[in-house]
Coordinates of all heavy atoms in Angstrom, one line a residue:
T5 N 149.8 280.6 78.6 CA 149.5 280.6 80.0 C 150.7 279.8 80.6 O 150.9 278.6 80.3 CB 148.2 279.8 80.3 OG1 147.2 280.5 79.5 CG2 147.8 279.7 81.7
E6 N 151.4 280.4 81.5 CA 152.5 279.8 82.2 C 152.1 279.2 83.5 O 152.8 278.4 84.1 CB 153.7 280.8 82.4 CG 154.3 281.2 81.1 CD 155.0 282.6 81.2 OE1 155.3 283.0 82.3 OE2 155.2 283.1 80.1
Y7 N 151.0 279.6 84.0 CA 150.6 279.1 85.4 C 149.8 277.9 85.4 O 148.6 277.9 85.7 CB 149.9 280.3 86.1 CG 150.7 281.6 86.2 CD1 150.4 282.7 85.4 CD2 151.8 281.6 87.0 CE1 151.2 283.8 85.6 CE2 152.6 282.7 87.2 CZ 152.3 283.8 86.4 OH 153.0 285.0 86.5
T8 N 150.4 276.8 85.0 CA 149.8 275.5 85.1 C 149.8 275.2 86.6 O 150.6 275.8 87.4 CB 150.7 274.4 84.4 OG1 152.0 274.5 85.0 CG2 150.7 274.7 82.9
P9 N 148.9 274.3 87.1 CA 149.0 274.0 88.5 C 150.4 273.6 89.0 O 150.8 273.9 90.1 CB 148.0 272.7 88.6 CG 147.0 272.9 87.4 CD 147.9 273.6 86.3
D10 N 151.2 272.9 88.1 CA 152.5 272.5 88.5 C 153.4 273.8 88.7 O 154.2 273.8 89.7 CB 153.2 271.7 87.4 CG 152.7 270.2 87.4 OD1 152.0 269.9 88.4 OD2 153.0 269.5 86.5
K11 N 153.2 274.7 87.8 CA 154.0 275.9 87.9 C 153.7 276.7 89.2 O 154.6 277.2 89.9 CB 153.7 276.8 86.7 CG 154.4 278.2 86.7 CD 155.9 278.2 86.5 CE 156.5 279.5 86.6 NZ 157.9 279.5 86.7
L12 N 152.4 276.8 89.5 CA 152.0 277.4 90.7 C 152.5 276.7 91.9 O 153.0 277.4 92.9 CB 150.4 277.5 90.8 CG 149.7 278.5 89.9 CD1 148.2 278.3 89.9 CD2 150.1 279.9 90.2
Q13 N 152.5 275.4 91.9 CA 153.0 274.6 93.0 C 154.5 274.9 93.2 O 154.9 275.1 94.4 CB 152.8 273.1 92.5 CG 152.8 272.1 93.6 CD 151.6 272.2 94.6 OE1 151.9 272.2 95.6 NE2 150.4 272.2 94.4
E14 N 155.2 275.0 92.1 CA 156.6 275.3 92.1 C 156.9 276.7 92.8 O 157.9 276.9 93.6 CB 157.1 275.5 90.7 CG 158.5 274.9 90.4 CD 158.7 275.0 88.9 OE1 158.2 274.2 88.1 OE2 159.3 276.0 88.5
L15 N 156.0 277.6 92.6 CA 156.1 278.9 93.2 C 155.6 278.9 94.7 O 155.6 280.0 95.4 CB 155.3 280.0 92.5 CG 155.8 280.4 91.1 CD1 154.8 281.1 90.3 CD2 157.1 281.2 91.2
G16 N 155.2 277.8 95.2 CA 154.7 277.7 96.5 C 153.2 278.2 96.6 O 152.7 278.5 97.6
L17 N 152.6 278.1 95.4 CA 151.2 278.6 95.4 C 150.2 277.5 95.0 O 149.9 277.3 93.9 CB 151.1 279.7 94.4 CG 151.9 281.0 94.7 CD1 151.8 282.0 93.5 CD2 151.5 281.7 95.9
D18 N 149.8 276.8 96.0 CA 148.8 275.8 95.8 C 147.5 276.5 95.3 O 147.1 277.4 95.9 CB 148.5 275.1 97.2 CG 147.6 274.0 97.1 OD1 146.7 273.9 96.2 OD2 147.6 273.1 97.9
S19 N 147.0 276.0 94.2 CA 145.8 276.7 93.6 C 144.7 276.7 94.6 O 143.8 277.6 94.5 CB 145.4 276.1 92.3 OG 145.2 274.8 92.5
Q20 N 144.7 275.8 95.6 CA 143.6 275.8 96.6 C 143.8 277.0 97.6 O 142.9 277.3 98.4 CB 143.6 274.5 97.4 CG 143.3 273.3 96.6 CD 142.0 273.4 95.9 OE1 141.0 273.6 96.5 NE2 142.0 273.2 94.5
R21 N 145.0 277.5 97.7 CA 145.3 278.5 98.6 C 145.4 279.9 98.0 O 146.1 280.8 98.5 CB 146.5 278.1 99.5 CG 146.2 276.9 100.4 CD 147.3 276.6 101.3 NE 147.4 277.6 102.4 CZ 146.7 277.5 103.5 NH1 145.8 276.6 103.7 NH2 146.8 278.5 104.4
L22 N 144.9 280.1 96.8 CA 144.9 281.4 96.2 C 143.7 282.2 96.6 O 142.6 281.7 96.8 CB 144.9 281.3 94.7 CG 146.2 280.8 94.0 CD1 145.8 280.6 92.5 CD2 147.3 281.7 94.2
P23 N 143.9 283.5 96.8 CA 142.7 284.4 97.1 C 141.8 284.4 95.9 O 142.2 284.4 94.7 CB 143.3 285.8 97.3 CG 144.7 285.8 96.7 CD 145.1 284.3 96.7
R24 N 140.5 284.5 96.1 CA 139.6 284.6 95.0 C 139.5 286.1 94.5 O 139.4 286.4 93.4 CB 138.1 284.1 95.4 CG 138.0 282.7 95.7 CD 136.7 282.3 96.2 NE 135.6 282.5 95.2 CZ 134.3 282.5 95.5 NH1 133.9 282.2 96.7 NH2 133.4 282.7 94.5
H25 N 139.6 286.9 95.5 CA 139.4 288.4 95.3 C 140.5 289.2 95.9 O 140.7 289.0 97.1 CB 138.0 288.8 95.8 CG 137.7 290.3 95.6 ND1 136.5 290.8 95.9 CD2 138.4 291.3 95.1 CE1 136.5 292.1 95.7 NE2 137.6 292.4 95.1
I26 N 141.3 289.9 95.2 CA 142.4 290.7 95.7 C 142.0 292.2 95.5 O 141.6 292.6 94.4 CB 143.7 290.5 94.9 CG1 144.1 289.0 94.9 CG2 144.8 291.4 95.4 CD1 145.3 288.7 94.1
A27 N 142.0 292.9 96.6 CA 141.8 294.4 96.5 C 143.2 295.1 96.8 O 143.9 294.7 97.7 CB 140.8 294.8 97.6
V28 N 143.4 296.2 96.0 CA 144.7 296.8 96.1 C 144.6 298.3 96.4 O 143.9 299.0 95.7 CB 145.5 296.6 94.8 CG1 147.0 297.1 95.0 CG2 145.5 295.2 94.3
I29 N 145.3 298.8 97.4 CA 145.4 300.2 97.7 C 146.7 300.6 97.0 O 147.8 300.3 97.5 CB 145.4 300.5 99.2 CG1 144.1 299.9 99.8 CG2 145.5 302.0 99.5 CD1 144.0 300.1 101.3
M30 N 146.6 301.2 95.8 CA 147.8 301.5 95.0 C 148.3 302.8 95.5 O 147.9 303.9 95.0 CB 147.4 301.7 93.5 CG 146.5 300.5 93.0 SD 146.1 300.6 91.3 CE 144.9 301.9 91.3
D31 N 149.2 302.7 96.5 CA 149.7 304.0 97.1 C 151.2 304.2 96.8 O 152.0 303.3 96.5 CB 149.5 303.9 98.6 CG 149.5 305.3 99.3 OD1 149.4 306.3 98.5 OD2 149.6 305.4 100.5
G32 N 151.6 305.5 96.9 CA 153.0 305.8 96.8 C 153.5 306.3 95.4 O 154.7 306.5 95.1
N33 N 152.5 306.7 94.6 CA 152.9 307.2 93.2 C 153.6 308.5 93.4 O 154.6 308.7 92.7 CB 151.6 307.5 92.4 CG 150.9 306.2 92.0 OD1 151.4 305.1 92.3 ND2 149.7 306.4 91.4
G34 N 153.1 309.4 94.3 CA 153.7 310.7 94.5 C 155.1 310.6 95.0 O 156.1 311.2 94.5
R35 N 155.3 309.7 96.1 CA 156.6 309.5 96.7 C 157.6 308.9 95.7 O 158.8 309.3 95.7 CB 156.5 308.7 97.9 CG 156.1 309.4 99.2 CD 155.7 308.5 100.3 NE 154.3 308.1 100.1 CZ 153.7 307.2 100.8 NH1 154.4 306.6 101.8 NH2 152.4 306.8 100.6
W36 N 157.1 308.0 94.9 CA 158.0 307.4 93.8 C 158.6 308.5 92.9 O 159.8 308.6 92.7 CB 157.2 306.4 93.0 CG 158.1 305.8 91.9 CD1 158.9 304.6 92.1 CD2 158.2 306.2 90.6 NE1 159.5 304.4 90.9 CE2 159.1 305.3 90.0 CE3 157.7 307.3 89.9 CZ2 159.5 305.5 88.6 CZ3 158.1 307.5 88.5 CH2 159.0 306.5 87.9
A37 N 157.7 309.4 92.5 CA 158.1 310.5 91.6 C 159.0 311.4 92.3 O 160.1 311.8 91.8 CB 156.9 311.2 91.0
I38 N 158.6 311.9 93.5 CA 159.4 312.9 94.2 C 160.8 312.4 94.5 O 161.8 313.1 94.3 CB 158.7 313.3 95.5 CG1 157.4 313.9 95.3 CG2 159.6 314.3 96.4 CD1 157.3 315.1 94.4
S39 N 160.9 311.1 94.8 CA 162.3 310.5 95.1 C 163.1 310.4 93.9 O 164.3 310.3 94.0 CB 162.1 309.1 95.7 OG 161.6 308.2 94.7
R40 N 162.6 310.7 92.7 CA 163.3 310.7 91.5 C 163.4 312.1 90.9 O 163.8 312.3 89.7 CB 162.7 309.7 90.4 CG 163.2 308.3 90.7 CD 162.3 307.3 90.1 NE 162.7 306.0 90.4 CZ 162.4 305.4 91.6 NH1 161.8 306.1 92.6 NH2 162.9 304.2 91.9
G41 N 162.9 313.1 91.6 CA 163.0 314.5 91.2 C 162.0 314.7 90.1 O 162.1 315.7 89.3
L42 N 160.9 313.9 90.0 CA 159.9 314.1 89.0 C 158.6 314.7 89.6 O 158.4 314.6 90.8 CB 159.6 312.7 88.3 CG 160.7 312.0 87.7 CD1 160.4 310.5 87.4 CD2 161.2 312.7 86.4
P43 N 157.8 315.3 88.7 CA 156.5 315.8 89.2 C 155.6 314.6 89.7 O 155.7 313.5 89.1 CB 155.9 316.5 88.1 CG 156.6 316.1 86.9 CD 158.0 315.6 87.3
R44 N 154.7 314.8 90.7 CA 153.9 313.7 91.2 C 153.1 313.0 90.1 O 153.0 311.8 90.2 CB 152.9 314.3 92.2 CG 153.5 314.7 93.5 CD 152.4 315.3 94.4 NE 151.3 314.4 94.6 CZ 151.3 313.4 95.5 NH1 152.3 313.2 96.3 NH2 150.3 312.6 95.6
I45 N 152.7 313.7 89.1 CA 151.8 313.1 88.1 C 152.6 312.0 87.3 O 152.0 311.1 86.8 CB 151.2 314.1 87.1 CG1 150.2 313.5 86.2 CG2 152.3 314.9 86.4 CD1 148.9 313.1 86.8
E46 N 153.9 312.2 87.2 CA 154.7 311.1 86.6 C 154.6 309.8 87.3 O 154.6 308.7 86.7 CB 156.2 311.5 86.6 CG 156.8 312.1 85.3 CD 156.1 311.5 84.0 OE1 156.3 310.4 83.7 OE2 155.5 312.4 83.4
G47 N 154.4 309.9 88.6 CA 154.2 308.6 89.4 C 152.9 308.0 89.0 O 152.8 306.8 88.9
H48 N 151.8 308.8 88.9 CA 150.5 308.3 88.5 C 150.7 307.6 87.1 O 150.1 306.5 86.9 CB 149.5 309.3 88.5 CG 149.3 310.0 89.8 ND1 149.1 309.2 91.0 CD2 149.2 311.3 90.2 CE1 148.9 310.1 92.0 NE2 148.9 311.4 91.5
R49 N 151.4 308.3 86.3 CA 151.5 307.8 84.9 C 152.2 306.4 84.9 O 151.8 305.5 84.2 CB 152.3 308.8 84.1 CG 152.0 308.8 82.6 CD 152.6 310.0 81.9 NE 151.6 311.1 81.8 CZ 152.0 312.4 81.9 NH1 153.2 312.7 82.2 NH2 151.1 313.3 81.9
R50 N 153.3 306.3 85.7 CA 154.1 305.1 85.7 C 153.2 304.0 86.5 O 153.4 302.8 86.2 CB 155.4 305.3 86.5 CG 156.4 305.9 85.6 CD 156.9 304.9 84.6 NE 157.6 303.8 85.2 CZ 159.0 303.7 85.2 NH1 159.7 304.6 84.5 NH2 159.6 302.7 85.7
G51 N 152.4 304.4 87.4 CA 151.5 303.5 88.1 C 150.6 302.7 87.1 O 150.2 301.6 87.4
V52 N 150.3 303.3 86.0 CA 149.3 302.6 85.0 C 150.0 301.4 84.5 O 149.3 300.4 84.3 CB 149.0 303.6 83.9 CG1 148.2 302.9 82.8 CG2 148.2 304.8 84.4
Q53 N 151.4 301.4 84.4 CA 152.0 300.2 83.9 C 151.9 299.1 84.9 O 151.7 297.9 84.6 CB 153.5 300.5 83.6 CG 154.2 299.5 82.8 CD 153.4 299.0 81.5 OE1 153.0 299.8 80.7 NE2 153.2 297.7 81.4
S54 N 152.0 299.4 86.2 CA 151.8 298.4 87.2 C 150.4 297.8 87.2 O 150.2 296.6 87.4 CB 152.0 299.0 88.6 OG 153.3 299.6 88.7
V55 N 149.4 298.7 86.9 CA 148.0 298.2 86.8 C 147.9 297.2 85.7 O 147.4 296.1 85.9 CB 147.1 299.4 86.5 CG1 145.7 298.9 86.1 CG2 147.0 300.3 87.7
R56 N 148.5 297.5 84.5 CA 148.5 296.6 83.4 C 149.0 295.2 83.7 O 148.5 294.2 83.5 CB 149.3 297.1 82.2 CG 148.6 298.3 81.6 CD 149.2 298.7 80.2 NE 148.4 299.7 79.7 CZ 148.8 301.0 79.5 NH1 150.0 301.3 79.8 NH2 147.9 301.9 79.0
T57 N 150.3 295.3 84.3 CA 151.0 294.0 84.6 C 150.2 293.2 85.7 O 150.0 292.0 85.5 CB 152.4 294.3 85.2 OG1 153.0 295.2 84.3 CG2 153.2 293.1 85.5
I58 N 149.7 293.9 86.8 CA 149.1 293.1 87.8 C 147.8 292.5 87.4 O 147.4 291.4 87.7 CB 149.0 294.0 89.1 CG1 150.4 294.4 89.6 CG2 148.1 293.3 90.2 CD1 151.4 293.2 89.7
V59 N 147.0 293.3 86.6 CA 145.7 292.8 86.2 C 145.9 291.6 85.3 O 145.3 290.6 85.4 CB 144.9 294.0 85.4 CG1 143.7 293.4 84.6 CG2 144.5 295.0 86.4
E60 N 146.9 291.7 84.3 CA 147.1 290.6 83.4 C 147.6 289.3 84.1 O 147.1 288.2 83.9 CB 148.1 291.0 82.3 CG 148.3 289.9 81.3 CD 149.1 290.3 80.1 OE1 149.7 291.3 80.0 OE2 149.0 289.5 79.0
E61 N 148.5 289.5 85.0 CA 149.0 288.4 85.8 C 148.0 287.7 86.6 O 147.9 286.5 86.7 CB 150.3 288.8 86.6 CG 151.5 289.2 85.8 CD 152.1 288.2 84.8 OE1 151.7 287.0 84.9 OE2 152.8 288.7 83.9
C62 N 147.2 288.5 87.3 CA 146.2 288.0 88.2 C 145.2 287.2 87.3 O 144.8 286.1 87.7 CB 145.4 289.1 88.9 SG 146.3 289.8 90.3
A63 N 144.8 287.7 86.2 CA 143.9 286.9 85.3 C 144.5 285.6 84.9 O 143.8 284.6 84.9 CB 143.5 287.8 84.1
R64 N 145.8 285.6 84.6 CA 146.4 284.4 84.1 C 146.5 283.4 85.3 O 146.5 282.2 85.1 CB 147.8 284.7 83.5 CG 147.6 285.4 82.2 CD 148.9 286.0 81.7 NE 149.9 285.0 81.3 CZ 151.2 285.0 81.7 NH1 151.6 286.1 82.5 NH2 152.0 284.1 81.5
I65 N 146.8 283.9 86.5 CA 147.0 283.0 87.6 C 145.6 282.4 88.0 O 145.6 281.3 88.6 CB 147.5 283.8 88.8 CG1 149.0 284.1 88.6 CG2 147.4 283.1 90.1 CD1 149.7 285.1 89.5
G66 N 144.5 283.0 87.6 CA 143.2 282.5 87.9 C 142.5 283.1 89.0 O 141.5 282.6 89.6
I67 N 142.9 284.4 89.4 CA 142.2 285.1 90.4 C 140.8 285.5 89.8 O 140.7 285.8 88.6 CB 143.0 286.4 90.8 CG1 144.4 286.1 91.2 CG2 142.3 287.3 91.8 CD1 144.6 285.2 92.4
E68 N 139.8 285.5 90.6 CA 138.4 285.8 90.1 C 138.1 287.3 90.0 O 137.4 287.7 89.1 CB 137.3 285.2 91.0 CG 137.3 283.6 90.9 CD 136.4 283.0 91.9 OE1 135.4 283.7 92.4 OE2 136.6 281.8 92.3
Q69 N 138.7 288.1 91.0 CA 138.4 289.5 90.9 C 139.6 290.3 91.5 O 140.2 289.9 92.5 CB 137.2 289.9 91.7 CG 136.9 291.4 91.8 CD 135.5 291.8 92.2 OE1 134.6 290.9 92.2 NE2 135.3 292.9 92.7
V70 N 139.9 291.4 90.8 CA 140.8 292.4 91.3 C 140.1 293.7 91.4 O 139.5 294.2 90.5 CB 142.1 292.5 90.4 CG1 143.0 293.7 90.8 CG2 142.9 291.2 90.4

Side-chain angles (χ1 to χ4, degrees):
T5 304
E6 289 155 20
Y7 300 109
T8 57
D10 282 352
K11 174 74 185 167
L12 286 172
Q13 201 64 236
E14 221 176 276
L15 290 166
L17 298 174
D18 184 335
S19 54
Q20 299 301 308
R21 295 188 70 84
L22 285 175
R24 292 174 65 188
H25 180 178
I26 303 177
V28 189
I29 302 175
M30 309 183 289
D31 199 17
N33 293 352
R35 277 166 280 173
W36 179 87
I38 300 302
S39 70
R40 280 160 184 76
L42 299 167
R44 288 177 54 83
I45 189 68
E46 256 331 291
H48 298 312
R49 209 168 267 139
R50 280 290 291 257
V52 174
Q53 194 48 53
S54 304
V55 169
R56 291 197 171 109
T57 307
I58 297 313
V59 168
E60 180 168 20
E61 297 298 343
C62 282
R64 290 169 64 226
I65 287 170
I67 306 300
E68 290 173 25
Q69 176 165 340
V70 171

